[in-house]
Amino acid sequence: MAKKTDKKLSGWDFSPSPEGTSHIALKDKYDLFIDGKWVKPSSGKYFDSINPSNEEKISSVAHANQADVDKAVKAARKAYNGAWGKMSGKERGKYIYRIARMMQEKARELAVIETLDGGKPIRESRDIDIPLACNHFFYYAGWADKLDYAFPNRKVESLGVAGQIIPWNFPLLMAAWKIAPALAAGNTVVLKPAESTSLTALKLAEIIEESGLPAGVVNIVTGFGDTGAAIVNHPDVDKVAFTGSTDVGKIIQKAISGTDKKATLELGGKSANIILEDAPIDQAVEGIVNGIFFNQGHVCCAGSRLFVQESVAEVVINKLKQRLDSLYVGNPLDKNTDIGAINSKEQLQTIKKYIKIGQEEGAEMYQSPCSIPTKGYFCPPTLFTNVAQSSVIVQEEIFGPVLTIQTFRTVDEVIQKANNTPFGLAAGVWTDKGSRIFNLTTKLRAGVVWANTYNKFDPTSPFGGYKESGFGREGGLHGLEAYVKLS
Ligand code: NAI
Ligand code: MG
């Protein structure tokens, strides 16, 4: 646990309180989960999954190549044409409920593994990632036998085999966002987790195996970008669902153009968090902290651009700095930790690169004086003031605990500034006035706009972006629609 160097604010410190790890079961080596069985990768190659908070190896994970992906897609097709495709929605729903309940039973184990493998604070994996992942399965289980009510007066058909590629920032939650609606709608799945965070998807494969879901309905293939590309390019995949970087999203869109593959792409963001002068300031400061420092800023919808109305800028920035000083950066397994480890060495390098660019651009930097562990990948929470609309750190996604702060005078001005970005995933608005909320939310070009809160998720509400943040929605009925053909 990192000790706070600046004690003048709280005057006291927490004792270490790490979550136990004795209850988790992890294998030394994980094979691929294809057609209901664990199979060795045809190349014989495995890679290490490490703990980013201490750089120690946790387990070996199979690297699937094109031949393995082909096997997985064939298994998914066979299940689609066979048992799963013929099953009633009511029966499908029972399996999805069963998976949800089994995940709940193993929630503590899943939370600890998520934190070990990905570096996020246990408080988040325990209270947010895992419960939400279970809730997605529960929610979509309910739709499985009600597709005709979901889309009244339409003929509803499933798509077939869904190829799904997910990132490392919310590993199990992203798997749930993708698998649950696909199954509810009657599709089968080949899913690839991110290379740095495969373990909870593999634990989910164990749960799926134990649940008795027919073989081949869900296949989990682990690997790198080449494995993902093999899924995208496989001719027998009917739908591609991807969450990750805008660069890879563009590659995927090119790869599937001219095919009749359906796609949903959920990509990067540079979301605006807007504080008006009549906002409840203390709550807003908490909302700013939650918006950007939650999960080390590894959130596609992170509120990474702060806009504060000029008349309250000084008080907001001062309070924010005070709050930053009280954040704990350190062992992600410790229940007091606010900011855990950056997911990988590469991502830490990216964040450091942007911090350097910010300084070189002449922005003023403030970092909390906390000490950070010497081993592992850590970054103190960082603020930049004196930035311009054209600054690189204002325009580009950093995907780390780095916030840029700008001020504004009028609402029209902030709408223009907030929308001046290639992205459009989310935004936050803080004000006492409902009319101001409605005015702003209708004019902000972002898929999700939170009012007087930030980073709140629910399985029933759709999530997705505008512009380079991608297209298609996940969650809610919109998320179900992405997995059906309507006529
Ligand atoms: P990435 O986009 O390379 O990785 C996401 C997933 O795509 C991983 O499973 C990866 O193996 C797979 N992938 C990589 N290349 C592929 C290809 N050609 N075809 C199919 N699948 C492929 O993201 P990366 O490199 O890990 O992070 C880079 C930046 O992307 C971050 O700094 C951040 O800005 C952004 N990002 C955004 C996320 C979001 O939630 N929107 C999540 C992760 C990263
Ligand atoms: Mg890892």
Side-chain angles (χ1 to χ4, degrees):
M1 183 77 212
K3 289 271 178 291
K4 235 161 50 69
T5 53
D6 185 354
K7 300 240 177 75
K8 68 180 186 289
L9 290 169
S10 57
W12 52 280
D13 214 336
F14 293 117
S15 301
S17 172
E19 175 73 32
T21 55
S22 56
H23 61 291
I24 66 166
L26 276 173
K27 293 191 264 187
D28 292 340
K29 200 178 188 184
Y30 281 93
D31 290 321
L32 306 166
F33 185 65
I34 297 176
D35 207 12
K37 292 182 284 292
W38 293 91
V39 301
K40 300 213 170 309
S42 47
S43 67
K45 287 192 185 137
Y46 293 80
F47 59 95
D48 292 348
S49 201
I50 67 149
N51 177 341
S53 74
N54 59 16
E55 301 169 51
E56 282 167 17
K57 177 181 167 182
I58 308 174
S59 183
S60 293
V61 179
H63 185 164
N65 63 15
Q66 208 176 341
D68 300 312
V69 167
D70 184 52
K71 232 187 267 174
V73 173
K74 286 202 168 104
R77 177 62 59 192
K78 195 177 73 186
Y80 182 73
N81 290 337
W84 192 248
K86 296 189 179 76
M87 200 181 282
S88 69
K90 192 172 155 197
E91 290 304 310
R92 280 202 313 273
K94 284 187 197 167
Y95 281 106
I96 306 170
Y97 274 123
R98 187 180 296 163
I99 293 167
R101 282 196 304 269
M102 291 173 69
M103 285 169 71
Q104 271 188 329
E105 281 164 19
K106 293 181 193 284
R108 190 158 162 241
E109 184 186 8
L110 292 168
V112 171
I113 295 173
E114 201 72 306
T115 285
L116 285 174
D117 200 21
K120 66 173 62 199
I122 185 71
R123 211 174 56 207
E124 283 169 17
S125 47
R126 182 195 63 198
D127 298 346
I128 296 164
D129 292 63
I130 310 304
L132 263 179
C134 299
N135 284 348
H136 270 269
F137 276 95
F138 277 120
Y139 171 73
Y140 281 110
W143 278 120
D145 63 346
K146 302 177 194 70
L147 296 180
D148 292 336
Y149 299 94
F151 310 105
N153 304 319
R154 311 282 294 271
K155 187 170 159 231
V156 189
E157 289 167 280
S158 53
L159 299 173
V161 176
Q164 308 180 321
I165 298 155
I166 58 172
W168 40 262
N169 52 346
F170 291 90
L172 187 68
L173 183 58
M174 288 302 106
W177 276 28
K178 297 225 169 359
I179 296 174
L183 298 189
N187 305 280
T188 57
V189 165
V190 177
L191 176 127
K192 189 194 92 66
E195 47 271 38
S196 60
T197 55
S198 305
L199 299 182
T200 45
L202 292 162
K203 291 302 284 186
L204 178 61
E206 288 178 358
I207 288 172
I208 285 169
E209 185 182 18
E210 210 184 316
S211 77
L213 189 77
V217 175
V218 173
N219 305 274
I220 310 279
V221 290
T222 44
F224 292 76
D226 59 325
T227 315
I231 296 175
V232 170
N233 295 320
H234 197 290
D236 205 27
V237 163
D238 300 296
K239 145 110 195 178
V240 176
F242 172 77
T243 300
S245 63
T246 296
D247 288 348
V248 172
K250 287 179 181 173
I251 295 173
I252 292 177
Q253 207 179 353
K254 267 192 206 131
I256 61 173
S257 64
T259 72
D260 60 2
K261 286 177 190 170
K262 265 199 153 196
T264 39
L265 303 180
E266 203 260 279
L267 311 174
K270 193 75 184 175
S271 300
N273 205 357
I274 300 169
I275 318 296
L276 299 177
E277 59 192 357
D278 64 342
I281 299 293
D282 290 328
Q283 284 98 312
V285 168
E286 280 310 299
I288 298 164
V289 168
N290 181 41
I292 182 65
F293 301 125
F294 169 50
N295 199 23
Q296 298 71 248
H298 296 337
V299 187
C300 45
C301 53
S304 52
R305 287 183 302 149
L306 177 65
F307 292 96
V308 192
Q309 200 153 15
E310 216 170 76
S311 53
V312 291
E314 200 182 323
V315 57
V316 169
I317 294 169
N318 283 339
K319 280 182 185 252
L320 190 57
K321 286 180 179 170
Q322 277 184 17
R323 184 68 181 93
L324 226 62
D325 293 353
S326 71
L327 294 175
Y328 277 75
V329 183
N331 182 4
L333 271 180
D334 196 300
K335 296 172 201 101
N336 298 319
T337 293
D338 298 298
I339 300 184
I342 301 301
N343 185 265
S344 66
K345 199 178 189 168
E346 294 73 35
Q347 190 58 29
L348 182 59
Q349 276 162 358
T350 303
I351 296 166
K352 283 187 173 160
K353 178 192 83 182
Y354 278 111
I355 290 178
K356 192 153 165 271
I357 291 174
Q359 289 170 305
E360 285 166 1
E361 281 180 325
E364 205 171 299
M365 184 177 80
Y366 181 81
Q367 275 184 331
S368 113
C370 63
S371 65
I372 57 173
T374 45
K375 219 157 184 239
Y377 316 131
F378 290 92
C379 179
T382 306
L383 307 178
F384 278 106
T385 49
N386 196 21
V387 292
Q389 194 61 18
S390 57
S391 304
V392 171
I393 55 169
V394 169
Q395 286 294 325
E396 296 183 12
E397 182 175 51
I398 301 174
F399 227 63
V402 182
L403 178 69
T404 62
I405 306 177
Q406 293 170 268
T407 59
F408 65 93
R409 287 189 181 161
T410 67
V411 169
D412 287 342
E413 178 193 348
V414 77
I415 290 169
Q416 203 203 0
K417 282 181 168 169
N419 286 339
N420 180 5
T421 163
F423 301 107
L425 199 50
V429 178
W430 296 79
T431 167
D432 197 32
K433 263 203 147 120
S435 58
R436 285 191 166 154
I437 292 173
F438 286 122
N439 179 31
L440 275 151
T441 51
T442 48
K443 291 175 185 158
L444 289 170
R445 306 247 312 134
V448 178
V449 185
W450 285 289
N452 294 328
T453 187
Y454 207 94
N455 275 339
K456 283 275 179 293
F457 302 96
D458 187 280
T460 64
S461 55
F463 183 89
Y466 281 51
K467 301 190 274 186
E468 293 204 4
S469 293
F471 52 79
R473 295 292 178 263
E474 294 185 302
L477 265 181
H478 298 73
L480 192 61
E481 193 174 339
Y483 284 94
V484 295
K485 194 164 31 187
L486 297 175
S487 46

